[in-house]
Amino acid sequence: MSAALFRKGIQTMYVRRYKPEDVLPERLASLMRSFVNTDGRVGLSQIELARLMYERRYGGENQSSIDAQCVKKTDQACKAIARRISHFLKGDHFPNWTDLVELADFFGKPIGYLIGETDCDSYELQDVADIVGLESRAVTALKSITGKASVEWPLGKTTLENEKPSAGSAFIAQDMVEKANAELNACRAALNRMLTARTFKDLLISLSNVGESEYELLMTRLDAEVAKLQRGDDSKGGDEPVMQQMARKAQARDAGLRLREAEGALKASRYEAYEFYVRLVDEMFSDMANTDIVAKAKLIAEKP
């Protein structure tokens, strides 16, 4: 089986992981809970979101220059938007294109993130995914491995809402950040060495071969099971003609042979992948392994 057919088979199994109408309520609710207002308060109610969206759409009015009728009209429009938002959160209705664009612009997220087409929650991550040709969840995973932690992250865990962090809390937060970033720095260093190693591509190809062998074994097992069901029970009465009995036994023997070949191919591909993995590790740290210890020690000893 060719690699192209394997990739096509795998891609058809994972065309879309989520339905937009199932993803939108959860992600919209999450964005509303984590929204930071101008006064520092976290979280948005439905009516608050409706008013902010109304202001973005029509512009804010000077309250001293508008009459009661205009205020009433504005309140009615905001309540109508809030009702639509409520339907979106409950999953009763899916927003039209205009609503999707406004929600995405308001929260600064790609439309694809709101409806589950991508896991990238920013346009920058989506651009990276498009450039390098990786899935959005792969880019998000890389960001979680290589990103840097900030002091605000642990402070939110060690202080109450609207409470000024104490000196002790700030010290604990800083210590947590330093430890987290030390681990992330180590991950970035190892990832840089791995991606720039010549053997890395060979490892990826060998892993692709493992996937192809796994898929081939799956199809062989499926074909063997289907053939077994089509042949029927081997212990049927002896009224079956001799030639049919021989043909049925030959088919079963061939199916067993193909199954053993597929299992052997999978084992071979796994061994090959492991060999390239060992080579990759050796190449990643070859500068350390090949260091002349004696010469290095002399240089250190000669320093005053």
Side-chain angles (χ1 to χ4, degrees):
M1 181 180 181
S2 67
L5 288 177
F6 163 70
R7 288 193 295 270
K8 183 178 180 181
I10 293 299
Q11 289 170 358
T12 55
M13 294 172 64
Y14 303 98
V15 174
R16 179 188 286 274
R17 294 183 297 137
Y18 311 109
K19 293 182 179 179
E21 55 270 23
D22 295 335
V23 176
L24 179 73
E26 179 182 349
R27 293 194 170 175
L28 178 57
S30 176
L31 290 172
M32 291 174 62
R33 287 193 301 268
S34 60
F35 184 83
V36 180
N37 294 270
T38 54
D39 58 0
R41 183 172 51 87
V42 179
L44 273 179
S45 65
Q46 296 174 18
I47 190 64
E48 288 173 334
L49 175 58
R51 291 189 180 280
L52 290 174
M53 291 181 65
Y54 181 88
E55 292 176 2
R56 285 173 62 91
R57 183 186 300 178
Y58 300 107
E61 296 286 349
N62 186 354
Q63 296 297 324
S64 62
S65 63
I66 58 178
D67 53 22
Q69 184 177 2
C70 185
V71 172
K72 183 178 180 181
K73 182 178 178 181
T74 300
D75 288 341
Q76 290 176 346
C78 291
K79 289 178 180 179
I81 297 175
R83 284 194 295 270
R84 292 210 309 274
I85 294 172
S86 177
H87 289 309
F88 300 159
L89 291 171
K90 294 177 181 177
D92 297 335
H93 298 293
F94 191 76
N96 57 33
W97 179 253
T98 301
D99 290 330
L100 275 177
V101 171
E102 289 187 352
L103 287 170
D105 287 345
F106 178 82
F107 289 107
K109 306 295 182 183
I111 293 178
Y113 174 76
L114 290 179
I115 62 178
E117 287 186 348
T118 176
D119 291 330
C120 294
D121 60 355
S122 68
Y123 292 102
E124 291 78 8
L125 282 180
Q126 188 58 55
D127 289 341
V128 172
D130 294 338
I131 291 172
V132 300
L134 294 176
E135 291 185 359
S136 57
R137 53 180 176 172
V139 175
T140 304
L142 284 174
K143 180 185 176 183
S144 66
I145 295 173
T146 61
K148 289 186 177 181
S150 62
V151 178
E152 288 76 11
W153 162 65
L155 278 179
K157 298 179 180 296
T158 57
T159 58
L160 298 176
E161 186 177 355
N162 299 327
E163 178 185 353
K164 185 177 180 179
S166 63
S169 297
F171 175 79
I172 294 173
Q174 187 64 39
D175 184 63
M176 291 173 64
V177 168
E178 289 178 358
K179 290 180 178 178
N181 282 332
E183 183 179 90
L184 295 173
N185 289 335
C187 290
R188 282 195 296 273
L191 187 61
N192 283 324
R193 285 177 176 265
M194 182 179 68
L195 292 175
T196 54
R198 294 190 302 272
T199 316
F200 180 62
K201 181 179 179 181
D202 296 330
L203 176 61
L204 292 181
I205 294 174
S206 66
L207 291 175
S208 176
N209 292 335
V210 172
E212 183 178 345
S213 298
E214 289 276 11
Y215 185 82
E216 186 67 29
L217 178 59
L218 172 64
M219 292 295 101
T220 303
R221 286 175 173 171
L222 181 61
D223 292 341
E225 189 64 26
V226 171
K228 181 179 179 181
L229 294 174
Q230 290 176 345
R231 290 195 306 269
D233 191 0
D234 290 341
S235 62
K236 290 192 301 183
D239 296 336
E240 185 180 14
V242 176
M243 294 301 294
Q244 291 185 8
Q245 293 181 21
M246 295 177 62
R248 184 157 47 84
K249 291 179 180 179
Q251 291 175 358
R253 184 175 60 252
D254 293 342
L257 179 61
R258 288 194 297 271
L259 184 59
R260 288 192 294 272
E261 289 177 349
E263 291 173 345
L266 176 59
K267 289 182 180 179
S269 64
R270 286 177 175 271
Y271 286 137
E272 182 186 45
Y274 179 74
E275 181 181 351
F276 280 118
Y277 164 73
V278 174
R279 292 183 184 179
L280 175 62
V281 173
D282 290 342
E283 183 182 350
M284 286 172 59
F285 304 104
S286 60
D287 57 334
M288 302 180 191
N290 298 328
T291 300
D292 190 339
I293 300 298
V294 176
K296 192 74 173 178
K298 288 181 179 179
L299 290 175
I300 296 175
E302 291 174 357
K303 290 183 179 180

